[in-house]
Amino acid sequence: MAPDRPAPGTRLLFRWRKWDASPHWHHDCVYLGSDEWGDWFGQPAGWTSSRPGRDFVATAPNVTLLPPSGDYALTVNAPPRRVRIYIDIAWDGRWEAGVPTAIDMDLDVVKAIDERGIWIDDRDEWDEHRVQYGYPLDIVATLEALAVELEQKVAASVPPFDDATSDAWLRRLAELVPDDAA
């Protein structure tokens, strides 16, 4: 465990913001630990995520990976969710004063377990916000390429985008926060 990380099982908020520093999603979660891919967080069913104007209660457990690069957050949902993988393309994902935080950069890579398959989502929001917020062109190019790269890795099921990696962290979440404690 890195010296600046909380103990596994510590409850915290994962805080997202937009490019202009306005608040975005806050996820009530628990720190699970880290591995070669980065830091993992878990959210049991019944815990909440909120952003200005919207609240969401998790209907199934999920785990989120924040890699050291800080350029995405991989969330994997347990059944019965129909979306297995949801990757938020990010900027400046890091720990700040003991709290994981990142800038949501609109683009998302999604893997559904139905006929929808795998796709890059929210391109319309990306196009609107890169003008509205004035995303630097080098960041635009980097993150567009990253979204395509992540889409390919999800399709190939390479770690940590495979079921074995995330399922191990989902089991860890169940050990740390049993259903009756959520």
Side-chain angles (χ1 to χ4, degrees), residues 32-101:
L32 300 176
S34 63
D35 64 9
E36 64 196 270
W37 307 108
D39 290 302
W40 289 86
F41 308 87
Q43 187 178 56
W47 287 22
T48 60
S49 296
S50 61
R51 70 175 188 194
R54 184 161 182 222
D55 291 324
F56 174 81
V57 177
T59 58
N62 63 76
V63 293
T64 298
L65 166 68
L66 179 62
S69 62
D71 54 7
Y72 68 87
L74 161 67
T75 298
V76 181
N77 296 297
R81 293 292 309 270
R82 303 299 294 164
V83 169
R84 173 68 173 173
I85 292 177
Y86 195 93
I87 303 174
D88 289 284
I89 303 300
W91 192 255
D92 195 29
R94 59 188 163 94
W95 288 87
E96 184 176 300
V99 175
T101 183

Side-chain angles (χ1 to χ4, degrees), residues 115-169:
E115 68 281 349
R116 294 174 293 165
I118 301 167
W119 73 95
I120 297 173
D121 198 19
D122 292 335
R123 290 180 191 263
D124 55 339
E125 186 178 344
W126 167 254
D127 288 340
E128 178 185 326
H129 286 170
R130 68 183 182 166
V131 173
Q132 178 183 344
Y133 295 131
Y135 298 161
L137 293 180
D138 59 328
I139 291 175
V140 168
T142 297
L143 296 182
E144 286 178 349
L146 175 64
V148 170
E149 176 187 341
L150 290 172
E151 181 184 35
Q152 293 167 348
K153 287 181 177 183
V154 168
S157 293
V158 299
F161 310 100
D162 61 320
D163 288 338
T165 301
S166 56
D167 286 348
W169 287 103

Side-chain angles (χ1 to χ4, degrees), residues 1-10 31-35 39 95 172:
M1 178 172 72
D4 58 341
R5 300 299 188 260
T10 301
Y31 182 66
L32 300 176
S34 63
D35 64 9
D39 290 302
W95 288 87
R172 178 73 173 139

Side-chain angles (χ1 to χ4, degrees), residues 168 170-178:
L170 284 163
R171 286 190 299 276
R172 178 73 173 139
L173 172 61
E175 293 166 4
L176 288 172
V177 185

